[in-house]
């Protein structure tokens, strides 16, 4: 038995890491080395870094350090991450999900820069959306809503008509602050009460409609991770 939720949108805004691409192995390696260098607890660091740009995570973890040092450190770490693609794989269901979105309004909104997002999507065998909002495109990192608002503006779609896909607390907060509904992907999202929640992208079906809207069918086995919205009427 499954429960089905149906969301209707005019555009989808997609995070990358943890949502389309599983890069956790790399993120763990890079950030735990950084934590060791700064005498910080690796487990505590990992609670902060997902979803944010690196300099913003560093500002939380080392609040008294000058921001220019965070930006310089972030640039070095981005280069490390771009070169380290071992273990980068697609989130289950991501290839079919992106294929279903071909020709429909959607954008990538990621805290990665152009080089890192291009490398990771390629390593996972995923096509890059035509519209991409990367670290270079914004002045503020998630949880600020700037990236999602910019993605909606580039698509020409009102924020209220967009649905965000996110895995992290920072990303879910950013989507909400942008006035958008949020589908949480994976276990990290569960603690942040997104509007709907899926284990991975295999639980989604995309249906384009004649009036230009996108219907998202979210199927969840009863007793498993369930969406926050009530099931659609049958």
């Amino acid at each position: 038995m499954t429960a089905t939720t149906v969301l209707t949108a005019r555009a989808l805004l997609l995070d990358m890491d943890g949502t389309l691409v599983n890069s956790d192995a790399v993120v763990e390696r890079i950030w735990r080395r950084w934590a060791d260098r700064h005498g910080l607890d690796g487990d505590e660091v990992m609670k902060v870094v997902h979803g944010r740009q690196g300099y913003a995570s560093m500002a939380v973890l080392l609040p008294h350090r000058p921001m220019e040092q965070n930006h310089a450190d972030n640039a070095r770490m981005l280069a490390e991450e771009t070169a380290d693609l071992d273990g980068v794989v697609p989130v289950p269901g991501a290839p079919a999900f992106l294929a279903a979105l071909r020709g429909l309004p959607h954008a990538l909104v990621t805290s990665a820069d152009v080089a890192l997002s291009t490398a990771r999507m390629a390593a996972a065998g995923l096509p890059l959306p035509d519209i991409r909002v990367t670290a270079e495109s914004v002045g503020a990192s998630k949880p600020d809503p700037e990236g999602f608002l910019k993605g909606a503006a580039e698509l020409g779609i009102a924020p209220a008509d967009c649905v965000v896909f996110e895995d992290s607390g920072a990303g879910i907060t950013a989507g909400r602050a942008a006035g958008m509904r949020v589908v949480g992907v994976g276990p990290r999202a569960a603690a942040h009460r997104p509007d709907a929640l899926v284990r991975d992208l295999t639980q989604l079906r995309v249906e384009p409609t004649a009036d230009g809207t996108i219907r998202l069918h979210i199927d969840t086995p009863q007793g498993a991770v369930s969406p926050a919205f009530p099931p659609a009427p049958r």
Side-chain angles (χ1 to χ4, degrees):
M1 296 290 290
T2 60
T4 301
T5 297
V6 179
L7 303 183
T8 301
R10 292 196 171 274
L12 306 184
L13 302 177
L14 315 174
D15 175 53
M16 182 182 71
D17 292 302
T19 300
L20 298 174
V21 173
N22 183 345
S23 56
D24 282 2
V26 180
V27 173
E28 288 269 345
R29 284 195 294 272
I30 298 290
W31 278 99
R32 285 186 182 277
R33 284 202 299 265
W34 182 89
D36 287 344
R37 288 198 298 270
H38 293 280
L40 298 175
D41 182 277
D43 291 340
E44 294 304 311
V45 167
M46 295 314 301
K47 293 176 183 177
V48 171
V49 300
H50 292 290
R52 292 179 171 86
Q53 291 190 45
Y55 76 86
S57 296
M58 294 170 193
V60 173
L61 293 161
L62 298 174
H64 303 298
R65 189 166 80 155
M67 189 57 78
E68 58 266 25
Q69 290 187 30
N70 295 337
H71 282 286
D73 221 357
N74 184 46
R76 288 190 291 270
M77 290 181 69
L78 281 171
E80 286 182 59
E81 290 184 274
T82 303
D84 185 353
L85 300 173
D86 187 23
V88 174
V89 295
V91 167
F97 179 55
L98 288 173
L101 293 182
R102 197 173 296 127
L104 300 176
H106 68 288
L108 187 73
V109 181
T110 175
S111 294
D113 63 5
V114 169
L116 181 57
S117 58
T118 300
R120 281 189 177 162
M121 291 288 281
L126 299 175
L128 279 165
D130 291 336
I131 294 178
R132 301 182 287 277
V133 179
T134 60
E136 298 94 336
S137 309
V138 297
S141 170
K142 300 171 186 176
D144 191 281
E146 181 185 358
F148 288 123
L149 291 172
K150 185 163 282 191
E154 291 198 26
L155 290 167
I157 304 295
D161 292 326
C162 297
V163 169
V164 164
F165 284 75
E166 265 286 359
D167 73 301
S168 71
I172 291 169
T173 298
R176 284 207 184 104
M180 302 172 183
R181 292 158 293 162
V182 181
V183 175
V185 180
R188 275 194 296 271
H192 302 283
R193 299 187 60 80
D195 297 295
L197 181 64
V198 295
R199 177 189 63 252
D200 56 44
L201 298 173
T202 64
Q203 292 178 251
L204 295 164
R205 181 168 60 86
V206 176
E207 178 194 0
T209 66
D211 67 358
T213 59
I214 303 167
R215 288 170 63 85
L216 295 168
H217 300 259
I218 302 172
D219 296 325
T220 307
Q222 290 185 359
V225 173
S226 58
F229 284 133
R234 294 192 179 265

